[in-house]
Amino acid sequence: AQSVTQPDIHITVSEGASLELRCNYSYGATPYLFWYVQSPGQGLQLLLKYFSGDTLVQGIKGFEAEFKRSQSSFNLRKPSVHWSDAAEYFCAVGARWAAGNKLTFGGGTRVLVKP
Amino acid sequence: EAQVTQNPRYLITVTGKKLTVTCSQNMNHEYMSWYRQDPGLGLRQIYYSMNVEVTDKGDVPEGYKVSRKEKRNFPLILESPSPNQTSLYFCASSLDSSISDGYTFGSGTRLTVV
């Protein structure tokens, strides 16, 4: 069964500083990998996804993520954080071609942005 | 606008009173799913549907029912709600079961059972 771990429950970062959110997954083959963002009171919005090919993927809002197979990781980064990036971020892994496909989510990382 | 619409957004109910949370999508998606979100646990899948009249249990199906009579609608039914079902619920859809595009999520329903 697939699983996702986001080791950091909360992260506080200063506006303008860089941000990195960690994600480790467990899955027997190459998975689909996703990052979603949830702003307060909102649903989840897709930031970026990885299937294959270039291991560095670009997403919306200036985010990028790097797939590292050897570390089973898919960390999310942003070079310079804006106050509007304060939100909760979820990493998710999806099984390929399996019956009953679903996304399995990590527990989330809440990002606070200091002025 | 392509979207997943859930209703209601907020609901407070009493233990044992049957309720239904509606979900509708306008994207002609085959795959629909319900998740609940609890602090520290992320999102956990309750039920999913790969097409009309095809539904199956997710990871936490106890206490819930679903139906998929039409492609666009996927209601979540709590026959006898209990306080441990107090949670934030999300409906999601994707084009098909390959989930290669990820999910489109609704705005959520915050349910409180007292």
Side-chain angles (χ1 to χ4, degrees):
Chain A
Q2 63 225 48
S3 66
V4 179
T5 301
Q6 293 180 245
D8 304 304
I9 298 174
H10 292 101
I11 285 182
T12 300
V13 61
S14 297
E15 192 168 14
S18 63
L19 174 69
E20 181 167 14
L21 304 182
R22 296 184 290 165
C23 172
N24 293 99
Y25 69 91
S26 173
Y27 181 62
T30 301
Y32 293 130
L33 293 163
F34 304 84
W35 274 100
Y36 283 86
V37 60
Q38 184 181 28
S39 298
Q42 302 297 312
L44 281 79
Q45 180 183 21
L46 180 66
L47 281 176
L48 49 79
K49 58 187 179 183
Y50 171 78
F51 299 151
S52 63
D54 193 347
T55 57
L56 185 63
V57 294
Q58 302 297 321
I60 62 171
K61 301 177 186 276
F63 285 92
E64 66 178 26
E66 186 171 13
F67 170 61
K68 292 186 177 180
R69 184 189 304 276
S70 61
Q71 298 176 18
S72 296
S73 69
F74 189 56
N75 294 348
L76 181 71
R77 298 193 293 255
K78 185 168 185 177
S80 177
V81 168
H82 186 262
W83 63 265
S84 60
D85 294 321
E88 189 156 22
Y89 293 79
F90 293 94
C91 181
V93 60
R96 291 173 181 256
W97 318 124
N101 282 349
K102 67 177 182 183
L103 293 188
T104 298
F105 288 82
T109 299
R110 186 170 298 277
V111 173
L112 304 175
V113 180
K114 294 190 301 183
Chain B
E1 179 188 354
Q3 59 186 356
V4 176
T5 303
Q6 292 178 233
N7 281 297
R9 289 292 307 275
Y10 301 91
L11 180 59
I12 301 174
T13 191
V14 296
T15 298
K17 184 177 182 182
K18 181 179 178 180
L19 66 91
T20 299
V21 183
T22 64
C23 174
S24 179
Q25 50 91 7
N26 62 0
M27 297 167 282
N28 202 37
H29 283 176
E30 288 186 353
Y31 186 95
M32 297 185 74
S33 183
W34 277 101
Y35 281 80
R36 61 178 288 173
Q37 181 183 4
D38 301 290
L41 298 177
L43 284 81
R44 294 176 292 167
Q45 191 181 53
I46 303 170
Y47 269 94
Y48 65 93
S49 168
M50 297 177 78
N51 215 323
V52 176
E53 302 291 3
V54 180
T55 63
D56 208 345
K57 297 177 180 178
D59 297 319
V60 288
E62 295 77 20
Y64 304 95
K65 284 176 55 177
V66 294
S67 68
R68 187 96 181 269
K69 294 183 170 55
E70 306 165 280
K71 198 170 189 177
R72 63 185 293 125
N73 295 325
F74 190 46
L76 179 70
I77 302 156
L78 284 72
E79 295 269 3
S80 182
S82 63
N84 65 10
Q85 292 178 298
T86 292
S87 187
L88 179 59
Y89 291 87
F90 287 102
C91 181
S93 72
S94 69
L95 183 62
D96 55 39
S97 60
S98 73
I99 60 168
S100 57
D101 288 330
Y103 291 159
T104 300
F105 282 88
S107 297
T109 295
R110 185 166 294 281
L111 172 65
T112 302
V113 184
V114 297

